[in-house]
């Protein structure tokens, strides 16, 4: 098995093992989701890598083997009717999922690093004078992976559903955070086909057919494929998003998602549709938005600097 091979432009990085990976430091760890992210390098290669490891969901069909003599236990403590053990389960039942970003940019490293979060008020004026120039100056390479999906150059084997309409169509894939086994952790991502919508700030009544199509067909497909009914789904949009190509999150109501579903980060799609339909066509172009942002986000420093200068 090999470490990452040399890529040509536009080719996805592929590995068969983590041979030669050297840890630089732990970026974050979450005891609730059993996830840890680390920064490291591959020996003999340029650039840094972010690796995220997470324990897989325990599938029901594995329980008979797991809860058998194949699992070796060591007593941790015993008190009356309560006992706790440390257990060594069969190797094939203790897999972890590994997500690799290589080569990783500073943005990737910051996103994976533990940080404090703050609330920021972004007025329509701040959006026009600070946020929009920031978005327009981002290199296209930062969302090339999105275009690879839309052009079917990558992740085609993971495609759940496609509506090929250029104006209201989209592609739906399982998010990398979901193991595609535990339905209560269901997490699907919809990426719209059109490339002129960066975020909810761009939305108006002309986009209602797109939003309604994403909501209705997305819910229908999830119920058809996974048996999860619409009332068990949270459907939302991030602002600020991690990348500026319009996309929508479909998540089970039982999912524990940390900052990704926090107030000020997740805006419900139904609320977005209602605000545009019943309050104002350009609601999101005019509204002051409360944003839940990490202190390492490069946009945060630009917003703070502008506000401080005005004061």
């Amino acid at each position: 098995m090999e470490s990452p091979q040399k890529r040509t432009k536009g080719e996805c990085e592929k590995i068969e093992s983590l041979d030669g990976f050297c840890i630089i430091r732990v970026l974050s760890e979450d005891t609730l989701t059993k996830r840890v992210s680390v920064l490291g390098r591959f020996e003999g290669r340029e650039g840094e890598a972010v690796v995220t490891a997470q324990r897989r969901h325990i599938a029901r069909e594995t329980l008979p083997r797991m809860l058998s003599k194949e699992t070796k236990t060591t007593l941790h403590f015993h008190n009356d009717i309560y006992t706790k053990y440390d257990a060594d389960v069969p190797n094939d039942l203790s897999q972890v999922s590994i997500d690799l970003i290589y080569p990783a940019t500073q943005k990737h490293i910051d996103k994976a690093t533990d940080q404090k979060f703050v609330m920021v008020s972004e007025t329509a004026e701040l959006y026009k004078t600070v946020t929009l120039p920031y978005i327009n100056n981002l290199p296209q390479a930062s969302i090339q992976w999105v275009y690879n999906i839309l052009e079917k150059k990558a992740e085609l084997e993971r495609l759940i559903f496609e509506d090929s309409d250029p104006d209201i169509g989209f592609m739906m894939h399982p998010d990398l955070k979901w193991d595609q086994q535990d339905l209560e952790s269901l997490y699907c991502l919809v990426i719209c086909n059109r490339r002129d919508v960066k975020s909810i700030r761009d939305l108006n009544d002309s986009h209602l057919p797109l939003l309604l199509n994403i909501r209705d067909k997305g819910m229908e497909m999830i119920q058809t494929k996974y048996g999860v009914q619409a009332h068990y789904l949270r459907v939302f949009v991030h602002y600020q998003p991690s990348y500026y190509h319009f996309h929508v999150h479909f998540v089970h109501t039982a999912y524990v998602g940390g900052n990704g579903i926090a107030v000020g980060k997740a805006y419900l799609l139904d609320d977005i549709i209602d605000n545009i339909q019943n309050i104002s066509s350009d609601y999101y172009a005019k509204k002051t938005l409360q944003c839940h942002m990490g202190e390492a986000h490069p946009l945060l420093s630009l917003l703070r600097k502008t506000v401080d200068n005005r004061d």
Side-chain angles (χ1 to χ4, degrees), residues 9-212:
K9 186 175 181 180
E11 182 184 357
C12 296
E13 192 74 49
K14 297 179 182 179
I15 66 167
E16 295 181 354
S17 80
L18 294 176
D19 182 34
F21 183 76
C22 303
I23 296 174
I24 298 174
R25 69 176 187 273
V26 174
L27 298 175
S28 62
E29 49 189 325
D30 188 330
T31 57
L32 182 62
T33 60
K34 306 296 188 293
R35 179 185 301 162
V36 60
S37 294
V38 301
L39 178 67
R41 291 179 177 273
F42 286 98
E43 291 180 354
R45 297 188 61 87
E46 296 181 358
E48 295 176 324
V50 173
V51 173
T52 299
Q54 183 172 12
R55 294 284 185 186
R56 286 191 177 275
H57 169 69
I58 299 175
R60 292 187 180 187
E61 58 268 23
T62 67
L63 291 176
R65 285 189 59 209
M66 181 175 291
L67 304 179
S68 73
K69 65 180 181 180
E70 290 189 59
T71 293
K72 308 303 179 184
T73 59
T74 301
L75 181 65
H76 189 65
F77 76 83
H78 173 77
N79 184 359
D80 193 31
I81 64 173
Y82 303 101
T83 309
K84 185 177 182 65
Y85 299 96
D86 292 324
D88 293 321
V89 301
N91 287 337
D92 61 317
L93 302 184
S94 59
Q95 290 184 329
V96 298
S97 64
I98 299 288
D99 296 337
L100 169 67
I101 301 175
Y102 177 78
T105 66
Q106 189 59 47
K107 181 179 178 181
H108 295 127
I109 296 169
D110 290 342
K111 184 178 179 182
T113 301
D114 274 333
Q115 57 184 306
K116 293 182 179 179
F117 287 82
V118 297
M119 297 300 295
V120 180
S121 293
E122 183 194 75
T123 64
E125 182 185 1
L126 277 174
Y127 172 74
K128 291 176 183 177
T129 59
V130 181
T131 304
L132 185 56
Y134 165 81
I135 296 171
N136 290 336
N137 285 327
L138 291 172
Q140 182 175 315
S142 65
I143 56 170
Q144 184 58 49
W145 67 273
V146 175
Y147 297 155
N148 288 344
I149 290 175
L150 293 175
E151 296 166 8
K152 298 184 178 179
K153 296 178 180 178
E155 301 190 42
L156 188 58
E157 72 283 357
R158 291 166 47 81
L159 180 64
I160 296 173
F161 176 76
E162 177 185 14
D163 180 335
S164 59
D165 187 284
D167 295 318
I168 67 171
F170 60 90
M171 300 178 78
M172 175 182 280
H173 291 78
D175 192 275
L176 293 175
K177 290 185 283 292
W178 183 36
D179 63 8
Q180 300 183 63
Q181 296 181 25
D182 177 22
L183 290 182
E184 291 194 350
S185 297
L186 181 143
Y187 200 129
C188 295
L189 191 66
V190 159
I191 301 175
C192 74
N193 291 337
R194 57 190 299 170
R195 303 188 183 190
D196 59 341
V197 183
K198 299 179 178 67
S199 73
I200 60 174
R201 285 291 193 186
D202 294 325
L203 297 175
N204 55 51
D205 58 353
S206 71
H207 300 104
L208 287 173
L210 168 67
L211 302 178
L212 292 167

